[in-house]
């Protein structure tokens, strides 16, 4: 591959950075802030070695191992060992998701929109576009790695030395580079952005699942997963750098294969065959609602499976909740334990609200699909027919409401089935199921909020920011001692903590009315604004 293949890579890098400067900055600052805050909280909450060793004794449960990874240094559970054990696997997962979304956005998605064709029409190299996004991602993860490493070391925590802190940052950085490389590879193999995203998330999901099964049953199996390699670095315990180096060179090899495939591939084509669709629409797909459901079918099913697994994972540990968390100071702070109420029931209410937030993500995404269609100039073609604007937006909103109900129900089934099988408290399947389903009105309010921003034609990111705030209030509100005034901003706070409290029918009806009021307002605004407003 000659230099001409990479002509204008630098300019394309500047363009990508300019377009995503806010997105990347917010992500880096937010990620770094959460990481450092978590380290500080661990240091403050576990003031003695005895307390930390009690936490370590709860970490040997197979469900916890599957969720977080093997516990290295459990015999001397320092703040650093705790941080790496309880945070590294989850943060790698978040980094992987970011890599997938950003790389697909600037590769296969831009090919579908014809942007890469415009770039190729200018004096630029054939590999310039894919090289530019990979270099931007590499630079982003280098900044993340260095900032995280130096930031953790600067906290001055005894068990978080410079070597271990830099290794922690390097683990996150190299994980991001690996999943950026694999996503770029899948962008060459798949013919569509949806296919590239699907393959990439399949790798992420399988990698995490294989690591989980391997850590519980067969350690050798974990080596088939990138999550397994990186966790084997034993950060803050033995500080092995070789798994990080191994992952880095494997990423470079994948990038080399990606460049080769991109150099021989026709623009817009892929190496994996795509199944042909039906020549004529059938049944429900003849309507716009049916078409919208069909296009989002894979996403809805995938999120339903994720929600079920998430619910079942936490349901499987409910039987030992009293043993695990009764004397752990952090869990007392997080759940604001109440006298006379079994800790298991309190844990159920907290985890149900967290799962409900997770189940709301795909519902907001389902509504926001219309904004993406609008950016790709597809809505103009639909509105040129007899399809009314209110019906166009209404169908996406209806899909969002359906998606919310399906994912919440799926999570409730997972929590109910797994929890009822192991729990010794007086909690039935129906109670565990309803503990999640009562959040449906609050989830619908988020759908209404997304519809409102679609109607405005801007500020869509505020729905995600608000959902992030809701998660922060639920997960860290007691720990950070938020006032009631701040808590009440979260719509999820107006749902009763079932099964500790009775279901508040009046509050639920109010939230449903609020949700449909937002929906109506969003539809009215959408009818009046310009399509590309």
């Amino acid at each position: 591959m000659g230099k001409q293949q990479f002509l204008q890579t630098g300019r394309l890098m500047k363009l990508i950075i300019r377009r995503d400067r806010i997105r990347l900055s917010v992500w880096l600052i937010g990620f770094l802030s959460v990481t450092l805050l978590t380290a500080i909280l661990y240091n403050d909450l576990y003031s003695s070695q005895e307390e930390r060793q009690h936490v370590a004794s709860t970490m040997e449960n197979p469900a916890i191992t599957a969720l977080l990874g093997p516990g290295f240094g459990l015999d001397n559970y320092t703040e650093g060992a705790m941080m790496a054990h309880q945070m590294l696997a989850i943060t790698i997962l978040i980094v992987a998701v970011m890599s997938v979304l950003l790389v697909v956005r600037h590769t296969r998605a831009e090919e579908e929109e014809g942007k890469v064709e415009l770039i190729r029409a200018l004096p630029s190299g054939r590999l310039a576009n894919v090289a530019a996004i990979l270099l931007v991602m590499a630079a982003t993860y280098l900044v993340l790695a260095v900032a995280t490493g130096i930031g953790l070391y600067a906290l001055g925590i005894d068990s978080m030395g410079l070597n271990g802190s830099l290794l922690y940052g390097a683990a996150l950085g190299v994980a991001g580079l690996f999943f950026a490389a694999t996503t770029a590879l899948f962008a060459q193999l798949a013919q569509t952005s949806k296919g590239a995203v699907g393959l990439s998330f399949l790798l992420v999901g399988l990698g995490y699942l294989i690591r989980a099964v391997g850590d519980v049953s067969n350690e050798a199996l974990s080596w088939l997963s990138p999550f397994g390699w990186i966790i084997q670095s034993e950060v803050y315990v033995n500080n092995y750098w070789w798994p990080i180096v191994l992952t880095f060179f494997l990423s470079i090899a994948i990038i080399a294969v990606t460049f080769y495939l991109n150099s021989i591939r026709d623009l817009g084509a892929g190496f994996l065959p795509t199944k042909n669709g039906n020549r004529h629409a059938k049944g429900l797909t003849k309507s716009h609602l049916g078409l919208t459901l069909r296009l989002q079918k894979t996403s809805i099913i995938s999120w339903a499976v994720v929600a079920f697994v998430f619910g079942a994972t936490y349901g499987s540990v409910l039987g030992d909740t009293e043993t695990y968390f009764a004397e752990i100071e952090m869990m007392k702070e997080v759940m604001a334990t109440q006298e006379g109420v079994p800790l298991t029931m309190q844990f159920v209410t907290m985890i149900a609200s967290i799962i409900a937030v997770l189940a709301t993500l795909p519902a907001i995404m389902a509504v926001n699909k219309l904004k993406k269609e609008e950016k790709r100039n597809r809505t103009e073609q639909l509105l040129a027919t007899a399809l009314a604007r209110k019906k166009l937006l209404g169908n996406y909103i209806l899909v969002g409401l359906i998606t919310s109900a399906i994912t919440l129900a799926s999570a409730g089934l997972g929590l109910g089935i797994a929890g009822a099988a192991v729990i010794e408290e007086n909690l039935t399947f129906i109670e565990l199921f309803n503990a999640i389903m009562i959040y449906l009105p609050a989830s619908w309010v988020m759908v209404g909020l997304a519809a409102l921003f679609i109607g405005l034609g801007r500020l869509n990111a505020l729905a995600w920011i608000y959902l992030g705030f809701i998660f922060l209030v639920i997960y860290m509100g007691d720990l950070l001692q938020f006032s009631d005034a701040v808590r009440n901003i979260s719509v999820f706070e107006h749902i009763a903590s079932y099964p500790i409290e009775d279901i508040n029918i009046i509050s639920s009806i109010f939230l449903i009315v609020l949700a449909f009021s937002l929906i109506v307002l969003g539809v009215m605004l959408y009818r009046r604004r310009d399509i590309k407003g």
Side-chain angles (χ1 to χ4, degrees), residues 72-95:
F72 299 110
L74 291 178
D75 55 338
N76 181 27
Y77 210 43
T78 62
E79 298 95 331
M82 183 182 298
M83 176 76 179
H85 178 212
Q86 298 186 26
M87 289 294 294
L88 190 57
I90 300 298
T91 47
I92 289 174
L93 186 62
I94 296 171
V95 167

Side-chain angles (χ1 to χ4, degrees), residues 31 35 88 91-92 95 141 144 148 167-177:
F31 195 91
T35 300
L88 190 57
T91 47
I92 289 174
V95 167
Y141 289 125
L144 174 66
T148 301
L167 180 58
Y168 189 100
L172 296 179
V174 78
L177 180 62

